Amino acid sequence: DGGITQSPKYLFRKEGQNVTLSCEQNLNHDAMYWYRQDPGQGLRLIYYSQIVNDFQKGDIAEGYSVSREKKESFPLTVTSAQKNPTAFYLCASRRAAGPNEKLFFGSGTQLSVL
Amino acid sequence: DAKTTQPPSMDCAEGRAANLPCNHSTISGNEYVYWYRQIHSQGPQYIIHGLKNNETNEMASLIITEDRKSSTLILPHATLRDTAVYYCIVRVHPRGGTADYGGSQGNLIFGKGTKLSVKP
């Protein structure tokens, strides 16, 4: 089945630790996105990538880093500089062009601080 | 991108139509209206989108007013599984079939949405 896979489902971070959230898609989509969601809130854009080897900061990029070495993969690293990392993280993808550019989302990763 | 306003919550009886309103009074001529929904602890799911004509698919109908300043998502026969947060979003659609590499143009901005509770 085609889709977006996020792993792990749950992740725990210790103080001062970097953690990496995985996002893989087999939809052949060009664009990929990372969103953060806090309880009772909407989604806020962290980083996005329209093409391999290129990515742009979203609204809340501080304390996060990404890479886009392959079209199907867009991992997110939550660094120790992110002081409030506890949140639900969502990865999404879509085709870069076309009239029906709906976003496809993964099932999310819940990150908590120990 | 234009901002949207939605009621924070709504209730609907099972089997009845759920009508979810959205105001987007600052929408511009090339901005589409998109609807997504998010069931608890899952990723959002695309429902429907439109520009100025009413749209219908297997999930829902989208009614956009003539002045395009508001729209309504209609779930014709709500079920318990339709309980979710519904997001109304407007965004610019890139023209000419070219990829929109320019900044945040085309990125969806999710507000808090409407929490729809379908009750038996």
Side-chain angles (χ1 to χ4, degrees):
Chain A
D1 287 339
I4 300 178
T5 302
Q6 288 187 242
S7 62
K9 179 70 174 175
Y10 300 95
L11 186 59
F12 297 91
R13 194 192 88 166
K14 296 180 181 178
E15 290 287 339
Q17 185 182 40
N18 293 352
V19 292
T20 298
L21 285 61
S22 170
C23 178
E24 303 278 331
Q25 55 97 1
N26 60 4
L27 300 166
N28 199 34
H29 285 170
D30 294 297
M32 298 188 73
Y33 302 80
W34 274 105
Y35 289 90
R36 169 183 171 138
Q37 186 175 35
D38 293 283
Q41 303 297 312
L43 282 66
R44 291 185 290 169
L45 183 64
I46 305 173
Y47 267 99
Y48 64 100
S49 169
Q50 302 276 23
I51 195 171
V52 174
N53 292 323
D54 187 50
F55 49 83
Q56 305 295 329
K57 293 182 178 180
D59 301 318
I60 55 165
E62 186 174 351
Y64 300 97
S65 66
V66 293
S67 63
R68 187 82 188 279
E69 297 177 1
K70 298 186 296 183
K71 187 176 185 178
E72 56 271 21
S73 179
F74 191 42
L76 173 74
T77 296
V78 183
T79 73
S80 56
Q82 173 49 244
K83 299 306 180 186
N84 185 24
T86 296
F88 189 52
Y89 290 86
L90 287 158
C91 179
S93 73
R94 67 174 175 88
R95 289 185 306 170
N100 296 312
E101 297 178 42
K102 49 192 174 185
L103 277 172
F104 291 80
F105 282 86
S107 56
T109 293
Q110 176 63 51
L111 176 63
S112 302
V113 177
L114 291 176
Chain B
D1 287 335
K3 188 174 179 179
T4 62
T5 304
Q6 298 177 255
S9 64
M10 292 182 62
D11 291 340
C12 177
E14 187 178 19
R16 304 296 294 268
N19 298 306
L20 291 89
C22 180
N23 287 326
H24 31 80
S25 57
T26 60
I27 194 170
S28 59
N30 60 348
E31 288 185 311
Y32 281 63
V33 180
Y34 283 74
W35 283 85
Y36 284 75
R37 73 178 182 184
Q38 185 178 23
I39 296 170
H40 183 62
S41 296
Q42 296 182 24
Q45 175 192 24
Y46 166 84
I47 302 173
I48 199 167
H49 75 283
L51 182 61
K52 53 184 178 181
N53 297 323
N54 297 337
E55 302 288 344
T56 296
N57 62 21
E58 66 278 3
M59 292 183 68
S61 295
L62 174 61
I63 308 298
I64 302 174
T65 58
E66 192 168 343
D67 63 7
R68 302 208 325 119
K69 293 185 177 183
S70 65
S71 60
T72 301
L73 179 75
I74 300 172
L75 308 178
H77 306 286
T79 70
L80 299 179
R81 287 178 292 181
D82 291 323
T83 292
V85 177
Y86 287 77
Y87 297 99
C88 168
I89 303 149
V90 294
R91 70 175 267 265
V92 174
H93 175 66
R95 295 186 177 277
T98 57
D100 59 329
Y101 297 136
S104 63
Q105 180 186 17
N107 293 326
L108 297 177
I109 301 173
F110 288 76
K112 295 184 181 181
T114 295
K115 184 174 182 179
L116 175 68
S117 298
V118 181
K119 301 182 183 298

